[in-house]
Amino acid sequence: MRTQISPSLMCMNLMEIKQQLAVLDTRADFLHIDIMDGHYVKNITLSPFFIEQIRPHTKVALDVHLMVEEPTDFIEVIAKAGADYICPHAETINRDAFRVINQIRSLGKKVGVVLNPATPVSYIHHYIHLLDKITVMTVDPGYAGQPFITEMVKKIEELRDLKARHGYNYLIEIDGSCNQRTYRTLLEAGAEVLIVGTSGLFNLDDNLETAWDQMMDNIEQAKGALRESA
């Protein structure tokens, strides 16, 4: 499967948002939008209004990550704003997971779930077959630029093996420290979608087109190393 790329828009240069969206619109598979409420994590980033503002300017799927304590307060408004994927944290929905999944589906949106580093795959066992995407946090949520948590490799492998064994359709997505140092490890473990932020994309070069090309070169080098070791 081709590796899919999801740039994290909270890491982009918001002073050049129109130009950078134009670059990403012809290259990215998803645009990753973090919604933080200042409670679930001690940070506040993008908003439903941000989704509404960029929706007319891109054809790329908008993938919304809800780092909020009460996802149901946001689901309908971000759906109306133009989200394509709505992805709450498993820890915030397990008391009413099936109701939340049904709500997202009823709005015509894809359903994702995000797993914190300390949350096992077994936590979502009873509804894993209903998911379009599972995001493995390889850093603790809330801030960009944190170090990669190596223990998450086994979680990615577990999701890969479950998907193959049962024929599940979810995408395996990685959020946190996706960059030249981790690409080989992540791809070997079974990662299918890479969320790239400062270290993986935006800080590689001031020119986003050049930065994108450098990122793709880094990913291809990682794939080449895997082929050589096979």
Side-chain angles (χ1 to χ4, degrees), residues 8-69:
S8 177
L9 298 193
M10 80 172 188
C11 300
M12 73 190 306
N13 183 347
L14 294 178
M15 297 300 291
E16 299 180 4
I17 185 169
K18 188 173 182 180
Q19 300 94 316
Q20 295 205 339
L21 276 177
V23 173
L24 297 177
D25 195 51
T26 61
R27 293 164 173 80
D29 299 285
F30 302 91
L31 296 177
H32 186 80
I33 299 172
D34 288 301
I35 306 285
M36 305 183 191
D37 63 357
H39 299 285
Y40 185 70
V41 292
K42 299 298 183 183
N43 197 3
I44 296 174
T45 51
L46 306 176
S47 70
F49 180 70
F50 178 83
I51 300 169
E52 184 180 333
Q53 291 295 298
I54 70 167
R55 178 73 280 178
H57 301 285
T58 180
K59 63 182 184 295
V60 179
L62 301 183
D63 177 25
V64 181
H65 176 185
L66 290 178
M67 281 182 263
V68 300
E69 286 190 349

Side-chain angles (χ1 to χ4, degrees), residues 30-157:
F30 302 91
L31 296 177
H32 186 80
I33 299 172
D34 288 301
I35 306 285
M36 305 183 191
D37 63 357
H39 299 285
Y40 185 70
V41 292
K42 299 298 183 183
N43 197 3
I44 296 174
T45 51
L46 306 176
S47 70
F49 180 70
F50 178 83
I51 300 169
E52 184 180 333
Q53 291 295 298
I54 70 167
R55 178 73 280 178
H57 301 285
T58 180
K59 63 182 184 295
V60 179
L62 301 183
D63 177 25
V64 181
H65 176 185
L66 290 178
M67 281 182 263
V68 300
E69 286 190 349
E70 297 292 342
T72 53
D73 291 346
F74 290 84
I75 288 171
E76 186 170 354
V77 68
I78 64 175
K80 289 180 178 178
D84 296 290
Y85 283 73
I86 299 177
C87 308
H89 275 255
E91 304 84 4
T92 67
I93 67 167
N94 263 24
R95 63 191 176 194
D96 52 1
F98 289 89
R99 187 183 311 135
V100 171
I101 290 168
N102 289 335
Q103 181 188 11
I104 295 171
R105 286 252 187 266
S106 72
L107 293 165
K109 307 303 178 181
K110 299 281 191 178
V111 181
V113 156
V114 185
L115 297 175
N116 277 335
T119 303
V121 173
S122 60
Y123 200 70
I124 61 172
H125 169 74
H126 292 292
Y127 57 87
I128 192 171
H129 59 291
L130 299 175
L131 301 175
D132 298 300
K133 183 159 63 64
I134 299 173
T135 304
V136 176
M137 296 294 300
T138 54
V139 300
D140 286 322
Y143 296 91
Q146 297 181 75
F148 182 75
I149 300 173
T150 57
E151 288 85 351
M152 295 305 98
V153 174
K154 290 188 180 300
K155 186 184 291 186
I156 300 165
E157 292 172 342

